[in-house]
Amino acid sequence: MTQPASEAQQTPPPHVVKPTPDRSGWRAVGLRADVRNLSLLAVLAVLIAVGGFTKPDQFLDTANLQLVLTQASVIGVVTVGMTFVITSGGIDLSVGAIVALASVWATTVATQEYGFAGILFTAIVVGLGCGLVNGLLIAYGGMVPFIATLAMLASARGLALQITDGKTQIVSVTSVLDLGVPDSYLLGIPPLVLVFAAVTVVGWLVLNRTTFGRRTVAVGGNAEAARLAGIDVRRQRLYLYLLSGLCCGIAAFLLIILSGSGQNTNGNLYELDAIAAAIIGGTLLSGGRGTIVGSVLGVLVFTTITNIFALNNLESAVQQIAKGAIIVAAVLVQRSTLRNGEA
């Protein structure tokens, strides 16, 4: 006599059921990113109001606003590269020193003989070279990013000082200097700001719309899981430090245009400003999440603060204290967010 089918046999196995993907988590992450960006925009609006209230004739002047954007462009380009590195779980303490080295190497008398192209080419190559050394030491040499980039910081600063002998190298190439004068502005926008905008757009597209960006986030989130998923983690890290070096080379060229010279003191504390801007913008210091838009807003916040302090003749020490307080607050907010499972 045939036995009746058991309940287990009558019920389809669980694995044949195709659950509907739950995208609510991704929507929540996107919403929190929007809230962070809106918060930074609100902070920026408050700073603009403060500047307009304390020094209305000076702060709201078109020339001053152009200056703020121009100054933000140099550190902003560095911050874009730093955002990629931090998103991958790394750090780069050498960006300021690389900017200094690239700027002085590109403004030597021998380099200036090759004109505009020689200066630009040298700045880019020096930046890439330093990034390559960092990447090789970290990705293939097994060095901790903090130590490797700290060593590069000291070496690049020392080499920049040796090249200049402590002197300022004046740029005499007219085609380079002309980019810093108002006559070269396009619809009132300085060329440096246009370059910064282009780097920002490209950085956003690469981080959010390419396989390279997804691999960067994966490496920062869990390097071992990324390796098991088929990602060449070491090669990815090498590319990221090359990208950071490239951004430093571009920033060095912009700084040459802005200052009309090359100095071994260029890029002083750029590493701290870039890290701070990325952190308050929403990039996790532990890696796994990065936002180019937030980093750019962080740069604008810090640059505006610096400008307001300068216009009101406040001591730089107070300015540094204010920046430090903002950084601490941003890190505490991130830790609280992660602790509550909202990151």
Side-chain angles (χ1 to χ4, degrees), residues 10 32 143 154 166 185 204 208 215 237 255 303 310 319 329:
Q10 294 175 353
R32 285 191 290 273
M143 291 188 67
Y185 292 2
W204 185 89
N208 296 281
R215 288 175 177 173
R237 285 174 173 161
L255 191 57
T303 308
Q319 174 185 326

Side-chain angles (χ1 to χ4, degrees), residues 282-312:
T283 299
L284 283 182
L285 192 57
S286 57
R289 187 183 72 197
T291 163
I292 297 296
V293 174
S295 296
V296 170
L297 290 175
V299 169
L300 292 175
V301 166
F302 279 131
T303 308
T304 304
I305 290 175
T306 300
N307 184 259
I308 292 174
F309 274 65
L311 291 178
N312 287 276

Side-chain angles (χ1 to χ4, degrees), residues 195-221:
V195 173
F196 176 36
V199 171
T200 298
V201 171
V202 172
W204 185 89
L205 290 174
V206 171
L207 185 60
N208 296 281
R209 293 293 185 267
T210 68
T211 303
F212 183 87
R214 290 190 290 272
R215 288 175 177 173
T216 300
V217 174
V219 170

Side-chain angles (χ1 to χ4, degrees), residues 31-301:
L31 179 60
R32 285 191 290 273
D34 291 339
V35 170
R36 282 192 298 269
N37 292 338
L38 289 175
S39 300
L40 285 173
L41 283 173
V43 171
L44 188 59
V46 170
L47 290 174
I48 292 174
V50 171
F53 177 77
T54 56
K55 293 289 182 179
D57 295 335
Q58 300 177 45
F59 181 80
L60 297 178
D61 183 70
T62 302
N64 183 65
L65 295 178
Q66 290 173 334
L67 176 62
V68 171
L69 291 175
T70 301
Q71 292 175 336
S73 298
V74 180
I75 185 62
V77 171
V78 175
T79 303
V80 170
M82 183 69 78
T83 300
F84 277 88
V85 171
I86 296 178
T87 301
S88 72
I91 199 74
D92 192 346
L93 300 179
S94 63
V95 290
I98 295 175
V99 169
L101 179 59
S103 69
V104 300
W105 207 322
T107 54
T108 60
V109 175
T111 303
Q112 292 192 50
E113 291 179 355
Y114 294 93
F116 184 99
I119 293 176
L120 175 60
F121 177 79
T122 303
I124 296 296
V125 169
V126 171
L128 284 172
C130 293
L132 176 63
V133 173
N134 280 337
L136 290 174
L137 290 175
I138 294 167
Y140 294 95
M143 291 188 67
V144 177
F146 182 91
I147 300 300
T149 57
L150 185 62
M152 176 59 72
L153 182 156
S155 301
R157 282 289 179 194
L159 184 55
L161 178 59
Q162 185 176 29
I163 291 175
T164 61
D165 195 24
K167 301 175 183 177
T168 300
Q169 298 178 164
I170 304 300
V171 176
S172 58
V173 180
T174 306
S175 56
V176 173
L177 298 175
D178 286 345
L179 293 176
V181 299
D183 290 341
S184 66
Y185 292 2
L186 181 62
L187 300 177
I189 304 176
L192 277 69
V193 178
L194 296 176
V195 173
F196 176 36
V199 171
T200 298
V201 171
V202 172
W204 185 89
L205 290 174
V206 171
L207 185 60
N208 296 281
R209 293 293 185 267
T210 68
T211 303
F212 183 87
R214 290 190 290 272
R215 288 175 177 173
T216 300
V217 174
V219 170
N222 190 322
E224 181 60 20
R227 185 186 66 81
L228 294 175
I231 297 175
D232 190 331
V233 175
R234 293 191 299 179
R235 184 172 61 186
Q236 184 71 16
R237 285 174 173 161
L238 173 62
Y239 289 161
L240 288 166
Y241 282 95
L242 276 171
L243 176 60
S244 179
L246 173 62
C247 289
C248 289
I250 296 173
F253 183 71
L254 297 183
L255 191 57
I256 290 171
I257 295 173
L258 183 62
S259 63
S261 64
Q263 305 176 56
N264 66 284
T265 56
N266 282 342
N268 188 34
L269 296 181
Y270 272 19
E271 56 278 357
L272 300 184
D273 289 342
I275 293 171
I279 291 174
I280 71 169
T283 299
L284 283 182
L285 192 57
S286 57
R289 187 183 72 197
T291 163
I292 297 296
V293 174
S295 296
V296 170
L297 290 175
V299 169
L300 292 175
V301 166

